[in-house]
Amino acid sequence: MAYETILVETRARVGLITLNRPKALNALNTTVLAEVMAALEAFEADAGVGAIVITGSEKAFAAGADIKQMQSMSYVDAFMADFFAGWEALSRIRKPVIAAVAGYALGGGCELAMMCDFIIAADNAKFGQPEITLGVMPGMGGSQRLTRFVGKSKAMDMCLTGRMMDAEEAERSGLVSRVVPAGELIEEALAAATKIASFSLPAVMMAKEAVNRSYETTLSEGLRFERRVFHSMFALDDQTEGMSAFVEKRTPNFRNR
Ligand code: CO8
């Protein structure tokens, strides 16, 4: 499929989506939304893909929702279209999705990165929720997901002052899992995704579901869910293979079943 605003490729078992609106610093408009979701759904359906990476350019992961598209929008336009609700479909993707963030990840760009399973940041990354400077507030999870990542105090600071957080502060605050030199970002993200894609896909998907469950439920319910899913893994051929390979001191040959 030909895309206008993204580049899509497969590297071995990893699907790579690169946001590609350089003149607008990868600002997110409705075409970007439709194309990213189409690419994600194609990777989700592709048995040859075990993990997905979303990235941008060295200058910008995404500088937010497209302000030029929103500038003249009315309340009724936004409400009737349920503007940008479509991004929530990203959190229904069951394969792992890594955000590889260099440069600006602002507003909807920061929110898009937070919808992914984890964020690997380049050392030049800058995260922020600057919507307040435009007379609005975050609308794709900035007031909700950011608070869960970094806590109330820092989330308030970011959402109310609109200031940016650099990569070092983002790692210290738990927003990103690791920081790497900008020139190595894609290789590091692809290496992490390749490693994930080398494991049993059903086990990986169950582990992702269990971690995500911790955001939606109480500790005791989450622990029960985790234990039940763990028990169910004894039905996987890959559990037999993984544990036998360990005991026999050989590399496992997972067959994703
Ligand atoms: N939307 C549209 N165009 C943008 C955006 C954007 N978010 N960001 C940058 N651009 C464009 C600029 O207009 C400029 O285009 P042009 O040359 O045609 O004027 C081009 O990208 C380059 O930008 P700059 O010249 O400004 O580049 P600088 O290096 O000087 O500055 C910055 C980089 C600091 C990133 C600056 O561009 C900036 O502040 N951008 C806006 C950041 C922002 O406010 N983001 C939040 C947007 S609102 C949002 O994301 C809401 C999400 C929730 C919506 C969901 C509702 C339910």
Side-chain angles (χ1 to χ4, degrees):
M1 178 171 169
Y3 294 108
E4 238 180 80
T5 63
I6 59 173
L7 304 172
V8 176
E9 60 192 289
T10 307
R11 306 254 190 114
R13 286 183 48 75
V14 177
L16 176 62
I17 299 173
T18 305
L19 304 176
N20 188 35
R21 294 188 73 208
K23 289 186 184 143
L25 300 183
N26 292 332
L28 308 172
N29 60 19
T30 43
T31 307
V32 181
L33 164 57
E35 293 190 345
V36 169
M37 287 317 308
L40 283 170
E41 275 153 20
F43 285 143
E44 181 89 328
D46 183 344
V49 169
I52 300 161
V53 174
I54 301 182
T55 195
S57 68
E58 190 163 343
K59 178 159 185 193
F61 176 73
D66 191 322
I67 299 166
K68 291 166 189 167
Q69 184 177 52
M70 293 186 293
Q71 183 188 8
S72 56
M73 196 176 276
S74 69
Y75 167 72
V76 78
D77 293 338
F79 178 79
M80 293 308 284
D82 203 1
F83 178 61
F84 267 16
W87 284 110
E88 281 304 312
L90 199 157
S91 47
R92 292 198 293 275
I93 296 294
R94 298 173 73 208
K95 290 178 181 172
V97 184
I98 302 173
V101 174
Y104 297 111
L106 302 178
C110 184
E111 293 167 314
L112 169 59
M114 290 191 291
M115 285 176 201
C116 297
D117 296 314
F118 63 98
I119 302 173
I120 300 180
D123 52 11
N124 73 341
K126 285 188 168 24
F127 298 87
Q129 298 292 158
E131 290 90 342
I132 200 73
T133 68
L134 301 169
V136 291
M137 60 172 269
M140 279 166 57
S143 67
Q144 305 301 304
R145 289 196 180 90
L146 185 65
T147 309
R148 284 168 165 77
F149 278 107
V150 304
K152 177 181 170 184
S153 185
K154 219 172 254 291
M156 282 286 190
D157 181 0
M158 304 292 291
C159 293
L160 300 186
T161 70
R163 80 168 173 90
M164 293 185 210
M165 194 188 261
D166 66 17
E168 192 273 323
E169 183 181 4
E171 185 181 29
R172 180 159 35 91
S173 312
L175 178 58
V176 310
S177 70
R178 38 179 137 153
V179 179
V180 300
E184 295 164 24
L185 176 68
I186 290 301
E187 290 322 308
E188 289 277 343
L190 288 173
T194 301
K195 178 159 215 159
I196 292 168
S198 75
F199 299 133
S200 164
L201 184 57
V204 162
M205 289 168 63
M206 289 181 204
K208 165 171 169 160
E209 193 173 337
V211 174
N212 280 334
R213 190 65 169 250
S214 72
Y215 278 96
E216 309 285 349
T217 193
T218 60
L219 179 61
S220 61
E221 282 306 314
L223 291 169
R224 178 196 297 270
F225 178 80
E226 178 191 67
R227 197 164 58 248
R228 289 289 173 256
V229 175
F230 189 97
H231 292 162
S232 77
M233 290 177 143
F234 289 103
L236 292 177
D237 291 347
D238 285 342
Q239 171 272 328
T240 311
E241 170 61 10
M243 293 192 181
S244 301
F246 177 82
V247 171
E248 293 160 16
K249 300 190 188 301
R250 60 175 174 81
T251 307
N253 177 23
F254 293 124
R255 291 186 300 142
N256 299 331
R257 44 187 295 170

